[in-house]
Amino acid sequence: QVQLVESGGGSVQAGGSLRLSCAASGYTFNTGRMAWFRQAPGKEREGVAAIGTTGTPSYADSVKGRFTIAQDNAKNTLYLQMNSLKPEDAAMYYCAAGDRWAPRGWKLLQRGYNYWGQGTQVTVSS
């Protein structure tokens, strides 16, 4: 019933910017938390940014100051603005949502979410 569809991925040069979008359906935005994860080939999926019901964002240390997570409740859409992109940012980016209570320490962990999108590819060239 719940669907999360990512878009906005593509190929950019190092130092460039990209904005990812996640359109949600069958899910009430403000009932839980949402996040962006990414996974590069041969690596584990890692949490990039998360936003809770209070609107307070959380970021992985590797993207602080460069990425911004935001949501538009009216459009039922989650965004990830990525600036100053680096080659190490290249990965498949996934949108996630969680509507069950979870410890604060799970904000950037896969176990904190129960709905997932199919992903959108981001490539960064030097």
Side-chain angles (χ1 to χ4, degrees):
Q1 300 293 334
V2 176
Q3 289 190 324
L4 303 175
V5 182
E6 303 94 335
S7 62
S11 299
V12 298
Q13 292 186 335
S17 299
L18 206 60
R19 189 174 80 159
L20 306 183
S21 298
C22 172
S25 61
Y27 178 81
T28 304
F29 243 54
N30 62 357
T31 59
R33 62 204 167 277
M34 299 195 74
W36 288 96
F37 286 74
R38 67 186 182 187
Q39 186 170 26
K43 296 184 178 180
E44 295 184 352
R45 188 173 299 186
E46 63 174 344
V48 175
I51 187 166
T53 56
T54 63
T56 303
S58 298
Y59 299 96
D61 289 340
S62 60
V63 306
K64 285 182 179 179
R66 300 188 299 119
F67 290 12
T68 302
I69 187 171
Q71 60 185 3
D72 187 332
N73 291 329
K75 296 182 178 180
N76 225 33
T77 301
L78 181 73
Y79 302 97
L80 182 66
Q81 179 66 48
M82 305 184 293
N83 298 325
S84 302
L85 284 163
K86 304 175 180 179
E88 51 263 44
D89 293 320
M92 182 72 75
Y93 282 72
Y94 299 90
C95 176
D99 58 4
R100 296 196 292 263
W101 187 91
R104 298 296 182 184
W106 290 9
K107 289 181 178 179
L108 296 176
L109 299 179
Q110 295 181 66
R111 67 186 69 181
Y113 302 87
N114 51 314
Y115 303 112
W116 294 86
Q118 292 298 113
T120 185
Q121 185 68 48
V122 172
T123 301
V124 184
S125 62
S126 60

